[in-house]
Amino acid sequence: MLELDRMDETGPWHPKIAELYRYWQQIHPQSGLPGRQHMDPLEIPALLPNLWLLDVEPEPLRFRYRLVGTKLAQFFGYAIRGRYLGEATQPHFTQQHLVHYEGVVKNRTYHYRKGPPAFAVDRPHLRVERILLPLATDGLTVDVILALTVLTDGQGREM
């Protein structure tokens, strides 16, 4: 049975985050992790503007933006597709943030975050809610991170 809403120490997940998590569980094979080949974007059209994919390069461990939804592209205001995580978001992306992505790869599990955005320190009223989900073509080695970010204003309205 799928969980309708997950909770963490900051409360319930945003409905879009919960929907992507449920979808990831639905495409999960009986053994191993789901891979990009298990995904069909047509099954989650309402999530596409908030969705992004990172290719995982193992040696050295780096993450490259493969796909960036329109809401995130508007937020950044410049093209990040094809660029590396950290490179595209300097100087605010730090080693502390990279640990979250490394953990998804090494532990083969999701990472959830809710709080102020790491990339827009000049916009303190914004809040970000984000989930990182591992995908593995072979079911074992994480080669893509499926992610979704929801940005909200000070009143909790999605931007």
Side-chain angles (χ1 to χ4, degrees), residues 8-45:
D8 79 340
E9 65 277 357
T10 61
W13 288 3
H14 186 280
K16 288 183 178 182
I17 299 279
E19 183 179 344
L20 184 63
Y21 181 78
R22 286 192 303 270
Y23 178 72
W24 180 74
Q25 286 183 317
Q26 287 174 345
I27 64 170
H28 224 283
Q30 289 205 313
S31 65
L33 291 169
R36 172 64 186 90
Q37 71 272 20
H38 296 107
M39 286 185 60
D40 181 356
L42 296 176
E43 293 178 350
I44 51 172

Side-chain angles (χ1 to χ4, degrees), residues 14 16-17 49-50 52 69-77 113 115-120 123 125-130 148-159:
H14 186 280
K16 288 183 178 182
I17 299 279
N50 299 78
W52 44 293
T70 55
K71 284 193 178 189
L72 296 174
Q74 289 171 347
F75 171 72
F76 280 107
R113 178 181 179 275
F119 309 134
R123 300 188 236 177
H125 64 284
L126 290 180
R127 289 294 169 258
V128 65
E129 194 167 345
R130 184 213 62 213
L148 188 132
T149 299
V150 178
L151 295 161
T152 56
D153 64 14
Q155 269 62 81
R157 293 180 301 247
E158 185 174 356
M159 302 189 60

Side-chain angles (χ1 to χ4, degrees), residues 9-158:
E9 65 277 357
T10 61
W13 288 3
H14 186 280
K16 288 183 178 182
I17 299 279
E19 183 179 344
L20 184 63
Y21 181 78
R22 286 192 303 270
Y23 178 72
W24 180 74
Q25 286 183 317
Q26 287 174 345
I27 64 170
H28 224 283
Q30 289 205 313
S31 65
L33 291 169
R36 172 64 186 90
Q37 71 272 20
H38 296 107
M39 286 185 60
D40 181 356
L42 296 176
E43 293 178 350
I44 51 172
L47 303 181
L48 297 179
N50 299 78
L51 199 78
W52 44 293
L53 294 173
L54 288 172
D55 287 323
V56 177
E57 296 180 4
E59 294 293 326
L61 184 58
R62 296 193 320 166
F63 307 92
R64 189 173 48 83
Y65 290 97
R66 175 194 290 196
L67 173 95
V68 179
T70 55
K71 284 193 178 189
L72 296 174
Q74 289 171 347
F75 171 72
F76 280 107
Y78 55 91
I80 61 172
R81 185 172 171 253
R83 297 178 71 185
Y84 286 96
L85 184 69
E87 163 193 285
T89 53
Q90 289 293 354
H92 306 295
F93 189 83
T94 67
Q95 189 63 33
Q96 174 188 353
H97 299 107
L98 188 58
V99 169
H100 302 161
Y101 300 85
E102 291 171 344
V104 170
V105 172
K106 291 176 183 168
N107 301 323
R108 301 176 43 211
T109 190
Y110 73 89
H111 183 272
Y112 169 83
R113 178 181 179 275
K114 185 176 186 177
F119 309 134
V121 294
D122 60 331
R123 300 188 236 177
H125 64 284
L126 290 180
R127 289 294 169 258
V128 65
E129 194 167 345
R130 184 213 62 213
I131 192 163
L132 307 173
L133 299 159
L135 297 176
T137 302
D138 65 3
L140 297 172
T141 307
V142 177
D143 54 4
V144 174
I145 294 177
L146 168 63
L148 188 132
T149 299
V150 178
L151 295 161
T152 56
D153 64 14
Q155 269 62 81
R157 293 180 301 247
E158 185 174 356

